[in-house]
Amino acid sequence: MWLIFIVLHLGLLVPLSLSCPSACVCLPNGDVTCTGGITEIPHLAANQTFRLKLNNTLIKILHPKSLQPLVFLLRLQISHSPLATIHPEAFYGASQLKSVVLSSTNISDLPPRVFSSLENLEQLYINKSQLMSLPADIFKHLVNLTELDISMNQIANLDARIFQNVTKLTYLNLGKNFLQMIPQMMFHNLRQLKSLILSSNQLRTIEEGSFDHLNNLLLLMLDKNQIQGIPSRLFWHMPSLLILTLSSNQLRYIPRETFYYLPNLTKLTLYKNPLISLPDQLVGHMPRLQEFYLYNTNLITVPWNLFANMTGLKSLHLHYNEKLISLPKDVFSHLPNLEKLSLRKNILQDLHKDQFSSLTKLRSLNIYGNKLRSLSAKIFQNLHSLTHLQLNNNNLNNLPGDIFAHLTVLKSVTLGHNQWNCTCSILDIAAWISDNRNVVTDLHDVLCHEPYHLINKSLVTLTNDSLKCGVTTTGDLHVTMTTEEIQAYSSERTTASFFTDIKNISNVATNTILSTTVPPVHRTLQTLSSTAYTFKKPHTARSMPNVFYDTVVLVNGPDIVHNNRRQGWVYLWTVPTSGAYSSFLMALHVVLIITGVLLIIFSAFAFYHLHKALWKTGMTLRHQTIKTKRLRSFNGKL
């Protein structure tokens, strides 16, 4: 028995080796691949040709019944060839074909009944060609067809009846054509369809009810069209849908409840739409959604409950929204499984301290390229799984020193290209950066932005001495005493009583340094947040050194200090250099100056006219006096 099988097998191989053309490669399993200068279907051993691939050949036409000799051929592929003409009877005699792939050819039209003999065909690809239209009954006899790809052609219109007989279709690709509309009834018979691709067309609208019978659809791609509006119930009859793409369209508004009744959705894309706003009731129950893309829009903010029904979300891409200035406090509060959050390249200015408090599984957080000016020390306290954090290219001028204390598994953080204000208050975060150089991946870009004399100085090089800070950094008011004053004073009083005197005299100096040794030249006093501080001049020079009115200095502080002396008291006034209060005072100062200048000009003008009026009055009186004297003299002579 085995001997007969071997003989038969060798007998089959002999004609194969003898009949394989030089431009082809014929394999024992029935695969034949031909390339090169052949211009028609080659002559092959029929009983040994099951799959035929004709790639990069010179075939321009398929002649009538050209496949009839290959009675066992199941799959035909012709690709990257100048094929332009298919005879109406080209596939006659090849009814056994299961797959026909005509890819990257010059086919511009097809005969109406060219596929009428392929009742067993399951797969048909006519993609990357020059088709401009299709006959209405082109697929009429393909009752067993499950896959159809006519993408990357130039088709502008399709008849509403074109798919009515291919009821077993599970995959349909119409992408990258010039379709401007979809007839409402075109997909109604495709109840087994699982994938529908309409990407990269010129669709402007889709009629309500177009997808009502696609109950088994898993993939729907509508991206890269020109859709300006969609009916609110367009997707309501696709409960099995897993992936929905609506990106790169012209949607400015999305109706309420558009994404209801999609409980199995795992991926949703809305990016690259000029969206102005989103309704509060937009998304229904989507516990299996894992990826959501909402970027390149015109959104200023998003509804607080936008992600409330996406409890299974793992990746959220909310970036490149050039008008997104704020986020609701609780917008991420229902995303306990989120692992990746991208907020980069928005214009966010502030984030609430509890903005990320619910994201306990978050591993990657990207806030690069926003307008953040500060962050709360508690903003990252619940992100125990965070490994990658990007904060570069913001407007941060300082950060609390313990802001990263809870990020125990942090592997990388970027802090460069911010507006770091290198005063004494920055030393805590600078120390953290210095201790975690291997974590800060853009260390060379973490540079001072101000003050002027420290521009481009690396934060890791900052020290108390380089910033001329005191031993402690609890305040910006520094009291300076010369060594002689300290020695003179300490010879009569202990250091403790010295600071006790300071505490008794000043109601705003607290938490002083209770050292038992002679204090150093610079000591820092912690001040309260009052706007004015008063210090009484000591009655005798020996009872208290001349500290408060001759040697009070402000070291590296952002506040403006002004002092007045009256009846032995020194009044210190602090005015912040930034903020609404500072702007008000500056505006008031300018108004007062302008008012003073105007008063001076007005006074000068008034004095000038008064002087002129007095001069005229004087001249008039003088003339009257002279006239009177002359009249009297004349009367006397008479």
Side-chain angles (χ1 to χ4, degrees):
M1 182 68 183
W2 285 103
L3 182 60
I4 296 174
F5 177 78
I6 294 174
V7 170
L8 289 175
H9 182 68
L10 291 175
L12 291 174
L13 290 179
V14 172
L16 175 65
S17 61
L18 294 177
S19 61
C20 189
S22 59
C24 302
V25 176
C26 304
L27 300 178
N29 63 358
D31 286 348
V32 179
T33 303
C34 302
T35 59
I38 61 175
T39 58
E40 59 182 11
I41 302 296
H43 298 287
L44 300 166
N47 60 343
Q48 291 295 317
T49 304
F50 305 141
R51 290 170 290 273
L52 176 59
K53 296 180 182 180
L54 305 173
N55 300 328
N56 293 293
T57 65
L58 298 179
I59 298 176
K60 295 182 178 181
I61 183 172
L62 283 183
H63 297 286
K65 303 180 181 180
S66 55
L67 298 171
Q68 188 175 28
L70 303 176
V71 293
F72 293 109
L73 184 66
L74 297 177
R75 299 186 182 276
L76 170 67
Q77 177 180 321
I78 303 176
S79 61
H80 299 91
S81 74
L83 179 64
T85 304
I86 301 179
H87 193 276
E89 298 181 358
F91 297 105
Y92 275 29
S95 59
Q96 78 284 354
L97 279 173
K98 298 287 187 180
S99 172
V100 172
V101 176
L102 306 174
S103 179
S104 299
T105 67
N106 294 331
I107 300 173
S108 60
D109 63 337
L110 291 170
R113 299 177 57 83
V114 67
F115 302 123
S116 60
S117 62
L118 302 180
E119 295 180 355
N120 295 305
L121 195 67
E122 297 175 354
Q123 184 185 62
L124 176 60
Y125 281 53
I126 317 173
N127 59 334
K128 299 181 182 179
S129 297
Q130 309 297 320
L131 288 174
M132 302 184 68
S133 63
L134 290 173
D137 57 350
I138 185 75
F139 308 124
K140 180 179 181 179
H141 299 279
L142 304 183
V143 292
N144 289 301
L145 195 66
T146 59
E147 295 183 30
L148 176 60
D149 188 336
I150 50 176
S151 63
M152 300 187 189
N153 283 284
Q154 301 177 28
I155 302 171
N157 294 288
L158 289 173
D159 190 275
R161 303 165 297 165
I162 193 169
F163 303 125
Q164 66 179 357
N165 291 335
V166 286
T167 55
K168 293 184 178 180
L169 208 61
T170 60
Y171 174 85
L172 176 58
N173 190 349
L174 302 174
K176 295 187 178 181
N177 279 287
F178 298 118
L179 295 173
Q180 298 181 7
M181 63 168 294
I182 297 294
Q184 185 184 34
M185 306 292 292
M186 191 164 68
F187 304 128
H188 278 200
N189 283 1
L190 306 183
R191 298 178 181 274
Q192 302 301 317
L193 196 64
K194 296 184 182 300
S195 298
L196 176 57
I197 301 174
L198 292 165
S199 306
S200 302
N201 279 283
Q202 297 180 6
L203 299 174
R204 294 183 178 274
T205 185
I206 298 178
E207 296 184 42
E208 185 172 356
S210 296
F211 305 137
D212 281 2
H213 298 271
L214 304 182
N215 307 121
N216 293 298
L217 198 68
L218 304 178
L219 169 68
L220 176 58
M221 300 182 68
L222 296 168
D223 55 289
K224 297 179 181 178
N225 281 285
Q226 299 177 23
I227 300 174
Q228 299 178 355
I230 53 177
S232 60
R233 301 186 179 187
L234 184 64
F235 310 116
W236 278 24
H237 300 277
M238 295 182 286
S240 301
L241 197 64
L242 299 178
I243 298 174
L244 173 59
T245 66
L246 277 167
S247 49
S248 299
N249 278 286
Q250 299 299 317
L251 292 170
R252 300 185 65 190
Y253 301 97
I254 298 180
R256 294 179 59 189
E257 303 180 354
T258 295
F259 303 115
Y260 275 41
Y261 309 109
L262 297 172
N264 292 301
L265 203 66
T266 60
K267 181 178 180 179
L268 175 61
T269 72
L270 295 175
Y271 62 88
K272 290 187 178 180
N273 276 287
L275 291 167
I276 296 177
S277 63
L278 294 174
D280 289 337
Q281 297 178 349
L282 177 66
V283 178
H285 187 50
M286 293 184 182
R288 297 185 180 181
L289 190 69
Q290 297 187 5
E291 301 176 64
F292 186 30
Y293 296 81
L294 184 63
Y295 59 85
N296 278 115
T297 71
N298 290 327
L299 293 171
I300 297 175
T301 186
V302 296
W304 71 270
N305 62 343
L306 178 61
F307 312 116
N309 290 322
M310 305 179 185
T311 54
L313 197 64
K314 293 186 177 181
S315 182
L316 175 56
H317 303 265
L318 188 60
H319 50 238
Y320 286 99
N321 299 289
E322 297 180 353
K323 297 182 180 180
L324 189 67
I325 193 172
S326 65
L327 291 172
K329 167 190 170 183
D330 300 322
V331 71
F332 304 127
S333 60
H334 299 281
L335 302 177
N337 296 300
L338 196 66
E339 298 178 357
K340 181 179 180 180
L341 174 59
S342 176
L343 297 172
R344 69 182 185 271
K345 297 294 284 186
N346 297 309
I347 57 169
L348 297 172
Q349 295 183 0
D350 297 289
L351 292 173
H352 193 273
K353 65 182 181 66
D354 295 323
Q355 195 83 64
F356 310 120
S357 59
S358 301
L359 308 182
T360 55
K361 293 185 180 180
L362 195 66
R363 293 186 298 168
S364 175
L365 175 59
N366 190 343
I367 323 179
Y368 151 81
N370 280 275
K371 304 293 183 182
L372 296 174
R373 295 165 292 190
S374 63
L375 291 172
S376 168
K378 298 181 179 180
I379 194 167
F380 303 130
Q381 66 178 352
N382 290 341
L383 307 186
H384 304 298
S385 301
L386 196 67
T387 58
H388 296 86
L389 174 63
Q390 292 178 274
L391 292 172
N392 53 304
N393 290 80
N394 277 281
N395 293 334
L396 296 171
N397 54 52
N398 202 345
L399 285 177
D402 58 346
I403 191 170
F404 304 126
H406 301 281
L407 306 182
T408 56
V409 296
L410 190 63
K411 295 181 180 179
S412 70
V413 60
T414 57
L415 297 168
H417 299 290
N418 278 289
Q419 299 181 3
W420 300 113
N421 184 11
C422 294
T423 61
C424 296
S425 60
I426 206 171
L427 286 176
D428 289 339
I429 190 61
W432 184 90
I433 295 173
S434 181
D435 294 339
N436 295 272
R437 295 172 183 247
N438 60 322
V439 176
V440 183
T441 56
D442 61 345
L443 193 63
H444 58 286
D445 292 325
V446 188
L447 307 173
C448 295
H449 182 75
E450 55 180 332
Y452 180 79
H453 67 281
L454 292 178
I455 289 178
N456 292 331
K457 186 176 180 65
S458 177
L459 263 66
V460 295
T461 64
L462 300 178
T463 62
N464 286 344
D465 293 337
S466 65
L467 297 182
K468 298 181 181 179
C469 300
V471 174
T472 61
T473 59
T474 56
D476 290 326
L477 183 64
H478 291 251
V479 179
T480 305
M481 299 177 59
T482 63
T483 305
E484 291 77 6
E485 288 175 324
I486 294 172
Q487 291 175 349
Y489 184 75
S490 62
S491 63
E492 296 187 11
R493 302 179 66 87
T494 64
T495 303
S497 63
F498 166 70
F499 283 99
T500 301
D501 287 341
I502 294 178
K503 184 175 181 180
N504 292 334
I505 293 172
S506 172
N507 292 328
V508 297
T510 58
N511 297 330
T512 54
I513 305 173
L514 300 177
S515 173
T516 57
T517 60
V518 177
V521 175
H522 293 278
R523 284 291 184 185
T524 303
L525 303 179
Q526 183 177 27
T527 61
L528 299 177
S529 59
S530 305
T531 57
Y533 312 116
T534 59
F535 300 96
K536 177 66 176 172
K537 177 181 177 181
H539 294 287
T540 63
R542 296 179 63 84
S543 64
M544 182 66 191
N546 191 5
V547 174
F548 293 108
Y549 51 88
D550 286 333
T551 56
V552 174
V553 295
L554 187 70
V555 180
N556 293 324
D559 294 345
I560 301 171
V561 175
H562 178 68
N563 69 85
N564 293 96
R565 306 182 187 184
R566 180 176 176 82
Q567 297 180 353
W569 286 85
V570 178
Y571 296 84
L572 299 182
W573 304 87
T574 65
V575 180
T577 59
S578 62
Y581 184 59
S582 174
S583 301
F584 169 75
L585 291 179
M586 184 59 70
L588 181 61
H589 180 68
V590 173
V591 170
L592 290 176
I593 291 176
I594 295 174
T595 304
V597 172
L598 292 176
L599 287 174
I600 292 172
I601 295 173
F602 176 77
S603 299
F605 182 76
F607 278 122
Y608 169 75
H609 283 279
L610 179 62
H611 175 73
K612 187 176 180 180
L614 290 174
W615 182 81
K616 288 183 177 180
T617 302
M619 292 300 294
T620 302
L621 291 174
R622 183 179 178 184
H623 286 304
Q624 289 179 352
T625 302
I626 293 173
K627 185 176 180 180
T628 302
K629 288 182 178 180
R630 288 179 178 177
L631 183 60
R632 288 177 180 177
S633 175
F634 177 75
N635 292 334
K637 291 179 179 180
L638 293 177

